[in-house]
Amino acid sequence: MNMYVAEDPEQIKTIERHILQEQKHHPEAKGILTDLLYDIALAGKVIASKTTRAGLAEILGQTGDVNIQGEVVQKLDRFADMTIYRLNDHTGRLAALGSEEHEGLLHIPDKYPTGKYVLLYDPLDGSNNIDFNIPVGTIFSIYQRVTKSGPGTLLDALQSGRNIVASGYIIYGSSTMLVYTTGKGVHGFTLDPSVGEFLLSHPNIRIPETPVYFSVNLGYRKYWSEGVIRYTDYLQGVDGQIPSLSLRYVGSLVADFHRNLLAGGVFYYPADKKDPHKPHGKLRLLYEAAPLAFLAEQAGGYASDGFGSIMDIQPDDLHQRTPLFIGNSPLVEKAEELIAHHDR
Ligand code: FBP
C-alpha cells in the first residue's frame, strides 16, 4: 500500500513536523534547537546519498591520513565530517563543535556569529566496516554552552551526560534511519529516498523487557578482568541463572546498539589489557558512550562504565575513553554487581 494515500494523513509525520511538535514541550524555546536538529537531519541525508552508492562513488577506501585516535581516516569519514561541519559552522546556532576526527574543538569561523549550543559528533562510527558494506552511523549530542558568549571553549564541551539537551544517531544500513531524543522519549525516522524525507516509523521506542542478544567482541576474552569473564558466562547461561542469550556482534557500535534497542539485549566494550595505551577500553565517552546512554535511559534502559552511570561521568578530556555496558537495565546492573564482586 502506498502510505502517502493512507486514510489518516496524520500518520505521515516528517521529522521536521515531529521536532516542531516536540518544541511545544519547551514554551521558552525560540526554535534554535529545532533548526539545529533539522541541519543534522539534512547532513544525514547528504551522507546517506554517498553511503548508499559507496561502491560506485569513488568514496570507498582510505585517505592515507591518520586521525587523533590513531586510526586511518576513510574517505567517507572525511566526507561525513566536513558535511556536518559545513552545514553548521555559519548558522549562528553553535558556540563550537567537537568531532571524533579532530584533536581540538572545531571553532566557528570569525566571519560567522556564535550561538548557544555545542554539537559533538562521531561523523562515521564503525568506519572500518564501510568497504564491507556493513552498516555505519553518525552519532551526535547537543549541549547548551556554559560560557557566556563568543567562541566556545573546552568548558562548553567537557560536560557530563546529565547536561545533554538532545542526542541521537543516523544509521546507514538497509535503510537510513535517524533515532533521537530531546528528553521526551526516543523516536525513530526512516528516510524515504523517493521523497527525500525522514518519516516517523518508530515512535516512542522502549527497550523490550525480555532481552534477546548480547553483543561483545568475544575475541578479546583473554584480556578481560575476572568480573567481565564471569559476566560473559552469566549472559551465556553458563552458571544457569538465566537462559543463554544469543550472540550478535557487527563491530559497528551504532548497528549493535540499534539492534539491541529494538529487540532487547546488552552491548558491552569493557576495559581490557589488550593495549596498555587504552586501559579504559576503546570507545569515546563524549562521542559514543554519553549520547547513546541518554537514548538508552530515555528508552527505559541503562548505560554504565561497570561501576556507575555513564551519564554521571564528568569528562576532563575531549577524547577520553570509557568502558561501556549498555542496554536492558537488569543486565547492565548485573555487570556492575559482578565487577564489584570480582574486580575490587
Ligand atoms: P570508530 O569507527 O568510530 O572508531 O568506532 C569504533 C568501533 O568501530 C565501534 O563502532 C565498534 O563497536 C568498535 O569500534 C569495534 O571494535 P573492535 O573491532 O575492537 O571490536
Side-chain angles (χ1 to χ4, degrees):
M1 176 187 70
N2 176 343
M3 67 175 295
Y4 297 111
V5 293
E7 286 74 41
D8 173 5
E10 260 305 302
Q11 288 305 315
I12 304 168
K13 195 171 284 179
T14 64
I15 191 164
E16 286 77 8
R17 194 190 296 173
H18 187 269
I19 295 171
L20 215 48
Q21 276 171 346
E22 288 282 297
Q23 187 183 310
K24 294 201 180 83
H25 293 296
H26 309 270
E28 78 293 351
K30 297 188 185 60
I32 302 170
L33 177 64
T34 299
D35 295 340
L36 180 50
L37 289 167
Y38 282 177
D39 293 333
I40 292 168
L42 176 58
K45 293 176 190 175
V46 174
I47 297 165
S49 72
K50 291 284 185 195
T51 57
T52 44
R53 291 180 300 114
L56 307 169
E58 273 319 297
I59 200 85
L60 285 183
Q62 300 165 349
T63 62
D65 300 343
V66 175
N67 69 16
I68 173 70
Q69 320 293 349
E71 294 153 348
V72 177
V73 178
Q74 307 290 328
K75 287 181 188 162
L76 205 46
D77 249 340
R78 166 80 41 76
F79 176 81
D81 188 45
M82 295 318 289
T83 299
I84 295 167
Y85 179 73
R86 284 272 174 279
L87 281 172
N88 288 287
D89 69 349
H90 58 286
T91 60
R93 299 180 190 116
L94 294 175
L97 301 90
S99 163
E100 190 218 36
E101 292 297 321
H102 298 267
E103 182 157 2
L105 275 185
L106 298 173
H107 291 289
I108 302 299
D110 296 344
K111 63 183 173 187
Y112 299 126
T114 55
K116 69 186 267 189
Y117 292 108
V118 172
L119 172 63
L120 303 181
Y121 63 98
D122 180 352
L124 216 60
D125 176 75
S127 55
N128 53 349
N129 292 307
I130 296 167
D131 294 5
F132 315 120
N133 208 354
I134 289 169
V136 291
T138 296
I139 308 174
F140 67 90
S141 57
I142 299 169
Y143 297 79
Q144 278 213 17
R145 65 181 305 163
V146 293
T147 56
K148 288 251 166 313
S149 59
T153 71
L154 268 183
L155 268 182
D156 296 309
L158 298 180
Q159 301 187 52
S160 85
R162 294 287 166 217
N163 295 356
I164 293 178
V165 172
S167 75
Y169 57 85
I170 303 156
I171 178 167
Y172 312 100
S174 45
S175 66
T176 297
M177 276 191 71
L178 189 158
V179 177
Y180 87 110
T181 184
T182 58
K184 295 262 181 285
V186 176
H187 310 283
F189 299 77
T190 301
L191 180 62
D192 180 333
S194 67
V195 291
E197 287 286 0
F198 276 111
L199 301 172
L200 184 62
S201 53
H202 298 67
N204 296 314
I205 297 172
R206 300 292 294 177
I207 298 182
E209 286 208 5
T210 309
V212 177
Y213 301 115
F214 76 105
S215 308
V216 68
N217 189 332
L218 274 180
Y220 299 153
R221 184 184 173 95
K222 71 175 187 175
Y223 300 111
W224 292 340
S225 66
E226 183 61 21
V228 174
I229 289 172
R230 298 287 184 112
Y231 179 59
T232 305
D233 290 345
Y234 165 84
L235 295 172
Q236 295 173 83
V238 173
D239 58 8
Q241 287 186 53
I242 61 168
S244 174
L245 296 177
S246 183
L247 174 65
R248 288 285 187 284
Y249 189 72
V250 174
S252 195
L253 171 61
V254 169
D256 283 312
F257 176 77
H258 186 68
R259 178 207 320 105
N260 296 346
L261 180 72
L262 298 182
V266 62
F267 167 97
Y268 56 112
Y269 202 113
D272 58 38
K273 304 180 195 68
K274 184 161 57 45
D275 178 345
H277 304 299
K278 298 178 186 166
H280 305 298
K282 178 181 183 179
L283 302 178
R284 272 64 56 162
L285 172 64
L286 284 171
Y287 300 108
E288 293 161 324
L292 298 182
F294 187 39
L295 287 163
E297 289 201 354
Q298 283 289 313
Y302 175 49
S304 168
D305 63 355
F307 301 100
S309 174
I310 290 282
M311 297 289 282
D312 296 328
I313 300 175
Q314 174 52 47
D316 50 29
D317 180 275
L318 264 184
H319 297 281
Q320 75 185 69
R321 299 173 192 269
T322 180
L324 176 64
F325 298 79
I326 188 166
N328 287 76
S329 303
L331 291 181
V332 177
E333 285 151 7
K334 188 69 181 180
E336 292 179 336
E337 179 198 318
L338 290 168
I339 288 169
H341 185 73
H342 294 284
D343 297 353
R344 289 251 172 105

